[in-house]
Amino acid sequence: MSIDSLRRSARATVSGLPGGFWWLWLSTLVNRTGAFVLTFLSLYLTQELGHSAWFAGLVVALHGLGGVAGSPLGGMLTDRWGRRPTMVSMHLAAAACSVLLAVVTSAWGVALVVLLMGVAMQGVRPSINASIADLVPAHDVRRAYALNYWALNLGFAIAAIGGGVAIVLGYRTLFLVDAAATVLCALIVFLRLPETRPEAKTDTAGRPVAEDKVSVLTVLRDAPFRTLVTLNLLVCLVFTAPWIGLPLTMAAEGLEPSAYGAVIAVNGVVIVGFQLLVNKVTDKRSPVHLLTVSSLLFALGTGATALAGSSLAFGATVVVWTIGEMVHVPTNAAATARLAPEHARGRYQGVMGMSWAVAGFVAPVLAGWVVDGPGPDVLWIACAVIGALAALGYQTRLRTALADAEEDVPVADAAGDVPVVEESGDKGRTEAVSSS
């Protein structure tokens, strides 16, 4: 492939999206570039405050527990209050928590602040995902989610490098920089991002039409979406396991902690370097097939960890499941947007986000228990089995539902225009309009 063809491919990947999306993309990049708290929290708790490793692990788990509550809360506020107010308030709440971490030193005070930070950081995600679905034509939604995920990982990579260099200034300084970056993110959203919540529907006389009320229980009664959430939870458990099990497995093989740092850095390098290429390859593919393939890649990558014995081999396994991650995350978000009624996108994204938060809380505990008990090989075999079961579930339980959702998505013609698609059935879909 020539340089010119690569340039054309990159241009096609980022072209044609509305300006509002790019302001949202920039806010994500700014926010993640200053995301120092979670990266260095365990070191701060053990080295600076003198707490045990057990307590540090508990505090990190509390962040995930906060996300379990924050995700549905953010989804409800997104639909009732609006996308932009929810984003701004949750970003400012997260910034306030970062400032509090710089001044609070008591053990349970830190634990409470981190719990609230988990609520705020997870609470903002439904509004971001709903805004993308509102802003971007339906046929480009998956590409937009992939680009936003790329910004998230690019910012995280910058934060990891910058934080490691700047740590000489002290942990509290890093937390204050995190707060400043989050405030800047909130300002970008407030000043540049339009409110995208769909207007209330009216009849021919201009009178408001009552829409079905949607709660978390209502969302969970949606059988296809409930299946999507359940399968995503299985994939998230597999995805989260290496972050706890991999360093323990490598240590059991006699490898130094620095070797783990180099191996896990492969994850960020691959995402930053190849997310746009993966998005180009997967564009316009069936979501069921993509979710199936990504689950199998998670199964293969984590399962092969049981056979690895060197840093190079462990790094190769990370590459495999990282490709699965790059395929799965935007495809799952786009599938959620397609299954959600237009007026309940926030709640649907909130319930989906809750599956990520539950996995973030449960998987570290289970992975540590399995490694300490039956052993690392059992953990990786279990991950392979769970990933394979998820792939089977996507193929057998969601093929029809996601295929029906695909039929509602208009395809751009040669001029790049998209015909308007009328709403059908009880699922409100985004109207796609001409880009001209």
Side-chain angles (χ1 to χ4, degrees):
M1 182 176 288
S2 66
I3 298 298
D4 287 341
S5 62
L6 287 174
R7 287 175 179 171
R8 287 194 299 271
S9 178
R11 192 180 301 114
T13 301
V14 301
S15 65
L17 298 175
F21 166 78
W22 289 112
W23 284 113
L24 186 61
W25 183 91
L26 179 62
S27 71
T28 298
L29 180 63
V30 169
N31 188 28
R32 295 299 293 182
T33 299
F36 300 120
V37 171
L38 290 181
T39 305
F40 298 98
L41 182 59
S42 60
L43 292 176
Y44 171 67
L45 291 171
T46 55
Q47 296 182 0
E48 184 82 4
L49 300 184
H51 295 300
S52 65
W54 173 86
F55 181 77
L58 173 64
V59 171
V60 173
L62 286 175
H63 186 277
L65 184 62
V68 175
S71 193
L73 172 64
M76 179 192 68
L77 293 176
T78 295
D79 288 333
R80 287 189 177 181
W81 195 11
R83 280 56 160 152
R84 188 170 67 166
T86 303
M87 273 187 265
V88 171
S89 60
M90 290 296 178
H91 281 316
L92 292 179
C97 289
S98 294
V99 173
L100 287 174
L101 275 181
V103 297
V104 174
T105 57
S106 68
W108 297 112
V110 170
L112 177 61
V113 171
V114 172
L115 176 68
L116 294 176
M117 179 177 282
V119 174
M121 291 181 68
Q122 192 67 34
V124 77
R125 294 187 180 184
S127 56
I128 293 173
N129 286 340
S131 293
I132 292 174
D134 297 337
L135 285 165
V136 177
H139 66 284
D140 277 332
V141 163
R142 190 193 308 160
R143 176 162 65 100
Y145 282 125
L147 287 168
N148 199 65
Y149 190 64
W150 181 61
L152 187 150
N153 282 279
L154 178 60
F156 182 79
I158 295 172
I161 296 171
V165 173
I167 203 170
V168 294
L169 300 175
Y171 292 101
R172 291 179 174 84
T173 300
L174 293 183
F175 297 160
L176 293 176
V177 172
D178 188 319
T182 308
V183 169
L184 178 57
C185 171
L187 284 174
I188 292 172
V189 171
F190 180 74
L191 296 175
R192 305 302 305 181
L193 191 68
E195 176 56 56
T196 63
R197 184 177 59 170
E199 296 181 359
K201 295 180 180 179
T202 58
D203 59 19
T204 54
R207 293 170 298 193
V209 176
E211 293 180 308
D212 295 336
K213 292 184 179 180
V214 179
S215 66
V216 172
L217 290 178
T218 308
V219 175
L220 292 175
R221 292 192 193 105
D222 184 334
F225 183 69
R226 185 174 64 240
T227 301
L228 184 68
V229 171
T230 302
L231 294 174
N232 185 68
L233 175 59
L234 294 180
V235 173
C236 290
L237 290 172
V238 176
F239 168 64
T240 307
W243 300 92
I244 302 300
L246 186 57
L248 299 176
T249 302
M250 293 180 66
E253 293 289 335
L255 298 172
E256 296 294 328
S258 58
Y260 168 71
V263 166
I264 204 60
V266 171
N267 174 259
V269 170
V270 171
I271 292 176
V272 172
F274 297 99
Q275 179 71 68
L276 298 184
L277 177 60
V278 168
N279 186 56
K280 181 66 177 177
V281 172
T282 58
D283 195 27
K284 313 304 181 187
R285 306 283 183 179
S286 162
V288 170
H289 292 158
L290 291 177
L291 291 170
T292 301
V293 169
S294 65
S295 300
L296 292 175
L297 288 170
F298 275 118
L300 177 61
T302 55
T305 308
L307 304 176
S310 65
S311 295
L312 183 61
F314 283 116
T317 67
V318 172
V319 170
V320 174
W321 59 255
T322 296
I323 296 173
E325 176 188 355
M326 290 190 289
V327 174
H328 178 86
V329 173
T331 305
N332 183 73
T336 300
R338 287 172 183 166
L339 291 177
E342 189 179 71
H343 69 285
R345 280 176 175 155
R347 288 179 176 85
Y348 271 67
Q349 293 287 356
V351 171
M352 180 57 71
M354 191 165 59
S355 68
W356 287 91
V358 169
F361 178 69
V362 172
V365 177
L366 289 179
W369 176 79
V370 172
V371 170
D372 284 342
D377 288 352
V378 175
L379 172 66
W380 303 121
I381 293 171
C383 285
V385 171
I386 293 172
L389 288 175
L392 181 63
Y394 284 122
Q395 279 294 314
T396 60
R397 301 299 301 276
L398 284 177
R399 180 186 291 274
T400 301
L402 292 184
D404 290 344
E406 281 285 289
E407 290 177 1
D408 287 341
V409 179
V411 180
D413 61 20
D417 292 341
V418 182
V420 175
V421 175
E422 298 296 333
E423 185 178 319
S424 61
D426 63 350
K427 295 286 188 185
R429 307 295 180 193
T430 306
E431 286 190 355
V433 297
S434 170
S435 59
S436 57

